[in-house]
């Protein structure tokens, strides 16, 4: 197996301290948002044999296994991250596989450069993702019931929001959510900025259930995404709990440290809480306008001690092992590629001693035994 040397991405929303604290190093003072583990071309992990991209390209079947190559092609189909949100991320959705392929082909046909700020589809893949909390973790996930959203917005007492309240009460669920989100994102920017300022003041005054939206407005003053966020479920994960974000589900991470895994894609359609491009027509094509429970996931334990986060896709499978002091070694050998990430304690993986934040890549079929006291997350695929 290969010890991984991973890149930390310094996005502005990142916490300056959470990842350094996990790694046991001094903060630099700069935001440290995500540490990437995998073979994404934007920041592939490095090994003693070269980057993980180079290692896999040299012999895909040996590294990934014949089953994974047959199903997903000669590439690692997932990206594993440690994510540290010190400020809210943009409100966003991801396309399904057919939408991504269609959108990518259309933008290629129209000759939009892949790095253009108004480009929506960087690739032809979907981007389902799972976030598992390492600390208390706040986020937004999926639409509230329209009546509950109407009651929350009405409670602000902001006159300019009354039409949205009336729409949410009057229309069938899908039409109500679609019409209100469309109205929010297409409103006159100056009028909306004034509405957001009034709403933010009310949220700060009321506190309680309104406190998260006051925080959003503080980071993104005047942004229509503050009002759009009130259409969504607010969820607070405890350590070990997780959220699965499927295609078309609007979501945003607000604060906290977690392990995130996703299909290897960069396709994001933004709804707000961002200075970046918001393509409203394309967004409305992708969003699933249906109320849903956030669906907090708790791991399902097996007799072998593996705790699995069950999701409906095959590009990734995330699980964890919590190794008690004095416990026996566990054999994690699989016929599929794995990344093993330590998040607590000290765990030996093969010949590598792993401390929090350290990880290894295990080629398909290679012996993988872990021992020690701590927590290991295991990322692999389903074939």
């Amino acid at each position: 197996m290969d010890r991984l040397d991973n890149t930390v991405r310094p996005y502005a929303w990142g916490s300056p301290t959470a990842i350094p604290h996990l790694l046991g190093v001094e903060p630099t003072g700069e935001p440290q948002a995500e540490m990437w583990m995998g073979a994404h071309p934007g920041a592939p992990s490095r090994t003693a044999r070269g980057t993980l991209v180079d290692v896999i390209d040299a012999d895909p079947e040996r590294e990934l296994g014949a089953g994974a190559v047959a199903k997903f092609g000669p590439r690692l189909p997932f990206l594993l991250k440690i994510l540290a949100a010190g400020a809210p991320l943009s409100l966003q959705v991801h396309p399904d596989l057919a939408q991504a392929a269609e959108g990518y082909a259309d933008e290629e046909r129209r000759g939009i450069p892949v790095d253009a700020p108004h480009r929506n589809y960087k690739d032809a893949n979907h981007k389902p993702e799972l976030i598992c909390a390492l600390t208390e973790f706040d986020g937004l996930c999926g639409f509230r019931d329209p009546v509950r959203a109407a009651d929350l917005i009405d409670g602000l007492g902001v006159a300019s929001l009354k039409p949205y309240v009336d729409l949410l009460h009057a229309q069938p669920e899908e039409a109500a959510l679609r019409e209100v989100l469309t109205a929010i994102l297409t409103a006159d920017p100056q009028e909306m900025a004034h509405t957001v300022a009034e709403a933010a003041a009310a949220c700060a005054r009321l506190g309680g259930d309104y406190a998260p939206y006051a925080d959003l407005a503080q980071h993104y003053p005047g942004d229509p995404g503050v009002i759009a966020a009130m259409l969504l479920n607010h969820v607070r994960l405890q350590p070990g709990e997780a959220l699965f974000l499927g295609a078309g589900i609007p979501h945003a991470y607000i604060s906290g440290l977690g392990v995130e895994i996703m299909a290897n894609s960069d396709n994001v359609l933004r709804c707000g809480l961002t200075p970046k491009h918001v393509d409203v027509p394309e967004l409305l094509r992708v969003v699933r306008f249906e109320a849903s429970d956030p669906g907090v996931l708790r791991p399902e334990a097996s007799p072998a001690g593996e705790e699995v986060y069950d999701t409906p896709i095959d590009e990734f499978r995330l699980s964890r092992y919590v190794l008690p002091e004095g416990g026996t070694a566990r054999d994690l050998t699989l016929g599929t590629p794995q990344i093993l990430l330590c998040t607590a304690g000290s765990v030996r993986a093969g010949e590598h001693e792993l401390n929090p934040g350290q990880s290894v890549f295990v080629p398909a079929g290679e012996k993988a035994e872990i021992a020690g006291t701590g927590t290991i997350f295991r990322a692999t695929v389903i074939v």
Side-chain angles (χ1 to χ4, degrees):
M1 63 180 70
D2 301 276
R3 181 181 286 276
L4 298 180
D5 178 21
N6 304 305
T7 297
V8 175
R9 309 306 294 262
Y11 305 135
W13 49 261
S15 165
T17 57
I19 289 178
H21 178 74
L22 180 73
L23 298 174
V25 300
E26 285 296 316
T28 64
E30 299 298 316
Q32 298 191 31
E34 297 179 347
M35 186 169 75
W36 288 18
M37 290 156 279
H40 190 288
S45 297
R46 299 168 293 279
T47 78
R49 297 189 283 159
T51 72
L52 199 51
V53 171
D54 297 334
V55 169
I56 292 170
D57 283 351
D59 194 343
E61 285 211 2
R62 178 184 179 279
E63 304 297 333
L64 305 177
V69 171
K71 189 166 186 175
F72 304 110
R75 61 186 181 85
L76 188 68
F78 65 82
L79 176 64
L80 184 67
K81 300 178 179 180
I82 293 174
L83 182 146
L89 282 68
S90 62
L91 192 59
Q92 59 189 257
V93 297
H94 305 301
D96 64 26
L97 199 52
Q99 290 165 338
E102 182 182 344
Y104 179 77
D106 174 63
E107 291 185 326
E108 287 289 281
R109 261 194 316 271
R110 290 190 283 140
I112 301 174
V114 74
D115 59 351
H118 62 289
R119 172 115 184 192
N120 295 313
Y121 297 95
K122 312 293 188 191
D123 51 69
N125 200 16
H126 63 165
K127 194 186 178 187
E129 58 191 42
L130 177 77
I131 183 77
C132 177
L134 294 178
T135 64
E136 195 169 75
F137 195 99
D138 273 25
L140 302 167
C141 177
F143 286 110
R144 298 175 189 266
D145 175 88
V147 173
R148 289 202 306 116
D151 290 345
L152 186 73
I153 295 171
D154 196 31
L156 294 172
V158 175
S160 53
L161 292 175
K162 188 66 164 60
Y164 303 151
V165 173
D166 293 342
L167 280 172
L168 289 167
H169 278 298
Q171 301 290 337
E173 177 180 290
E174 181 179 352
L177 294 170
R178 179 182 290 275
E179 286 192 35
V180 172
L181 183 63
T182 302
I184 290 168
L185 297 180
T186 57
D188 177 83
Q190 286 189 327
E191 291 179 8
M192 178 53 70
H194 181 72
T195 294
V196 172
E198 279 192 77
C203 287
R205 184 180 68 254
L206 293 166
D209 290 344
Y210 292 96
Y213 310 101
D215 182 56
L216 295 181
Q218 187 174 7
H219 285 95
Y220 299 99
D223 192 303
V226 174
I227 307 301
M230 299 187 77
L231 300 175
L232 307 185
N233 298 297
H234 173 247
V235 61
R236 177 165 291 164
L237 301 177
Q238 297 304 312
E241 295 180 336
L243 287 175
F244 174 71
L245 292 317
I249 303 299
H251 62 278
Y253 303 147
I254 297 175
S255 65
L257 181 71
V259 173
E260 185 183 38
I261 190 167
M262 63 187 62
N264 224 342
S265 171
D266 288 326
N267 288 327
V268 175
L269 289 152
R270 295 175 178 85
C271 316
L273 307 180
T274 179
K276 295 182 179 178
H277 177 62
V278 176
D279 184 334
V280 175
E282 187 63 17
L283 174 72
L284 297 176
R285 187 177 80 91
V286 168
V287 171
R288 288 170 54 188
F289 289 98
E290 56 187 40
S292 62
D293 183 271
V296 174
L297 294 176
R298 295 171 183 86
E300 299 175 11
S302 74
E306 184 182 24
E307 299 179 341
V308 180
Y309 293 91
D310 188 34
T311 62
I313 51 94
D314 295 342
E315 281 90 342
F316 61 76
R317 177 183 183 273
L318 187 71
S319 62
R320 70 174 184 175
Y321 290 81
V322 180
L323 306 178
E325 186 174 357
T328 58
R330 309 287 177 89
D331 184 2
L332 272 58
T333 306
L334 286 177
T336 50
Q338 305 180 67
I339 291 178
L340 305 179
L341 164 68
C342 177
T343 59
S346 180
V347 178
R348 189 162 189 83
E351 71 276 20
H352 301 286
E353 194 74 31
L354 301 182
N355 294 315
Q358 296 179 333
S359 56
V360 293
F361 172 73
V362 186
E366 184 167 314
K367 179 74 172 176
E369 189 175 86
I370 60 171
T373 305
T375 301
I376 284 280
F377 279 84
R378 175 203 236 181
T380 187
V381 300
I382 298 174
V383 297

